[in-house]
Amino acid sequence: MRLREIVIGVKLGALLPAAAQAHVSEQGFVLLLPTKVYTAAGVAAVALTVLALFALPGGAVRGLFAHRPLVPRHFERAQQISSLVSLICLFFVLYLGFTGPRDPLSNLMPLSFWTLGWVAAVSLSGVLGNLWRWINPWTGLYQLLGPLRPVLGLPAGLGRWPAVALLLGFAAFLLADIAPDDPARLARFVAIYWLVTFAGMILCGRRWLAHAELGHAVFAAYASLAPLRLSGRAELGGPGWRLLADRPAPAAGIFALTLLAVGSFDGLNGTFWWLGRIGVNPLEFPGRSAVVVQTLTGLALAFAALLGVFALAVCLGLRLARAEVRYAQAFGWLALSLLPIALVYHIAHYLTSFLVQIQYAIAALSDPFARGADWLGIQPFRVTTGFFNSIDSVRVIWVTQAGLVVLGHVWSVLLSHRIALRLFGEGPRAAVATLPLSIFMIAYTMLGLWLLAAPKGA
């Protein structure tokens, strides 16, 4: 009966008026997924993982994140070519953004940026490695211009601080802008960003990308979790081994926390609970322009709350373990262990939207100017949401979402313990030092599953 109620709810949810968003379509489906039984089972799985770490030998945990080199490969030339191809594609979708169809579901500008880029490519980076090295639209042109001597130097220790600011600004655009998927509006945003970034490279060299380019930072963060590495040389290992290979850059931990905060508030924003807190009737949503201040305030509060709770968890862990590790060092390393949670929630949150939007992207690729063309030979082609009306397909989707969230939290618990072994050495001290953080992750499992299940009205 529960699944039948979900299917009915999907159909009714599709009838509710909703404001246009960057990841529109089928929002009603996401709000009805996991039941209390699934939430309890997921939380129990994470809690049992935490308990198991007190008995699991450190060598076994280290083995989970071991890696080995594959056949040596050099990809620099191929990456330069793919970057130039990406630049040509970018100019094409920018042209479509300014001159093509006004409907966001028919224009490749928003569909390529949000569906293929923000949802698909970012998600795949957690499996296939840093795809941004292949598709970023700057490095190919920069190398083509020849060796350029930087005019300005970047401050030592700059780290990811500019990327943190850019991520918060991007989140504000995604969640609070009145029309983030409007083709022309988005095209202006992307064109300005491309010009500013390329100017930064001309002035400061390629190091600009590592410190002040958001795509590089997001993809690098999630790629550090990938078992496969295809940049520089090919290597394969346990998921997260690359994260352990290098000392984190300044603010890398803050950047990881920001990714999680943005994803969490993206899930919270639009829920009946949140709309009730800001005095909005979810069945009569007044539009994004009416809640800009509330959305920005909520985003700031979500970031501050997550930062405060995590900082407290790290502090309590150091006190419990009576460790002599510097607080800043422990904070920076352990914050990286939250990246699996951020990644899997990103995938789970956008899964239902992606299933619909990718169909619109295929249709737009076949007819980019909306003039009745059929470049891919797929006509007659109709976008379908029929898989939301089948009990079997609904079951697969919601179990996949809930399973991803639980898997990500288990992954984070194991990763945090592996980091603790590096910081605190062998023995029970590592498990004790991460106990408050593990409790935090258990609570976040419940929050993540609730976010997937919470009714949404916008």
Side-chain angles (χ1 to χ4, degrees):
M1 289 298 295
R2 176 61 177 165
L3 286 176
R4 294 185 184 277
E5 292 173 3
I6 290 175
V7 172
I8 294 172
V10 170
K11 294 178 178 179
L12 292 176
L15 299 177
L16 296 176
Q21 298 190 39
H23 45 283
V24 293
S25 81
E26 301 304 328
Q27 290 290 321
F29 176 78
V30 183
L31 60 86
L32 293 171
L33 293 181
T35 63
K36 293 181 179 179
V37 174
Y38 276 78
T39 301
V43 171
V46 179
L48 289 174
T49 303
V50 173
L51 293 176
L53 290 176
F54 282 89
L56 197 65
V61 176
R62 294 178 191 276
L64 292 174
F65 300 98
H67 71 282
R68 61 186 179 86
L70 301 176
V71 178
R73 290 283 188 269
H74 298 284
F75 302 104
E76 289 78 6
R77 182 64 176 174
Q79 289 175 351
Q80 179 183 0
I81 295 173
S82 64
S83 175
L84 289 171
V85 172
S86 177
L87 178 60
I88 294 171
C89 293
L90 173 63
F91 286 164
F92 178 63
V93 296
L94 285 174
Y95 173 78
L96 290 176
F98 290 120
T99 66
R102 296 298 87 201
D103 180 8
L105 297 179
S106 301
N107 193 299
L108 274 176
M109 180 68 247
L111 288 170
S112 61
F113 186 87
W114 296 118
T115 305
L116 301 180
W118 177 240
V119 177
V122 168
S123 299
L124 287 173
S125 67
V127 178
L128 301 179
N130 196 343
L131 299 179
W132 196 240
R133 291 182 181 272
W134 297 82
I135 64 175
N136 87 78
W138 294 285
T139 55
L141 178 60
Y142 184 81
Q143 291 173 330
L144 198 62
L145 294 177
L148 300 176
R149 178 174 296 180
V151 178
L152 301 174
L154 293 173
L158 183 63
R160 292 283 165 80
W161 288 112
V164 171
L166 284 170
L167 180 56
L168 289 172
F170 174 79
F173 176 76
L174 167 67
L175 299 173
D177 188 82
I178 58 173
D181 55 354
D182 175 75
R185 190 180 186 88
L186 181 60
R188 285 193 294 271
F189 170 85
V190 173
I192 292 171
Y193 182 74
W194 187 91
L195 289 170
V196 170
T197 300
F198 196 67
M201 292 182 67
I202 296 297
L203 293 174
C204 303
R206 291 189 60 167
R207 288 187 62 221
W208 178 269
L209 296 181
H211 298 282
E213 201 283 296
L214 182 57
H216 183 98
V218 171
F219 278 82
Y222 287 144
S224 68
L225 304 174
L228 185 63
R229 175 181 178 176
L230 290 177
S231 57
R233 59 180 180 176
E235 294 178 280
L236 181 68
W241 69 268
R242 292 183 59 194
L243 184 149
L244 299 163
D246 302 307
R247 182 179 178 181
I254 299 294
F255 188 79
L257 284 166
T258 309
L259 281 171
L260 182 56
V262 168
S264 300
F265 184 71
D266 191 4
L268 179 66
N269 188 42
T271 61
F272 282 16
W273 182 88
W274 172 253
L275 293 175
R277 301 286 77 75
I278 62 176
V280 173
N281 183 347
L283 301 181
E284 297 179 358
F285 188 70
R288 291 167 67 101
S289 60
V291 294
V292 170
V293 175
Q294 295 92 322
T295 301
L296 293 177
T297 302
L299 177 63
L301 290 175
F303 173 70
L306 180 60
L307 181 62
V309 173
F310 178 81
L312 179 61
V314 174
C315 181
L316 291 175
L318 292 178
R319 287 182 176 272
L320 285 175
R322 297 180 180 179
E324 298 179 358
V325 177
R326 291 188 301 110
Y327 178 80
Q329 181 184 13
F331 183 99
W333 271 108
L334 291 173
L336 299 179
S337 68
L338 299 180
L339 283 173
I341 300 176
L343 175 62
V344 297
Y345 187 74
H346 179 89
I347 299 171
H349 173 62
Y350 288 115
L351 178 60
T352 53
S353 174
F354 177 78
L355 292 175
V356 178
Q357 300 289 72
I358 190 62
Q359 298 178 71
Y360 284 106
I362 293 171
L365 282 169
S366 188
D367 184 17
F369 298 100
R371 297 172 182 171
D374 186 18
W375 291 5
L376 301 182
I378 59 175
Q379 296 301 333
F381 183 83
R382 297 288 183 273
V383 174
T384 179
T385 58
F387 40 81
F388 292 142
N389 300 327
S390 165
I391 289 178
D392 290 336
S393 57
V394 165
R395 180 186 290 112
V396 171
I397 293 171
W398 72 314
V399 170
T400 299
Q401 289 179 301
L404 281 170
V405 170
V406 174
L407 178 63
H409 284 77
V410 170
W411 185 6
S412 278
V413 168
L414 293 172
L415 184 56
S416 67
H417 190 73
R418 175 63 184 88
I419 292 173
L421 289 174
R422 167 175 291 186
L423 293 174
F424 308 109
E426 299 288 344
R429 173 175 286 187
V432 171
T434 56
L435 183 58
L437 179 57
S438 297
I439 294 173
F440 164 83
M441 291 179 179
I442 293 172
Y444 223 91
T445 307
M446 186 178 300
L447 173 63
L449 293 173
W450 177 81
L451 288 175
L452 289 178
K456 296 179 175 63

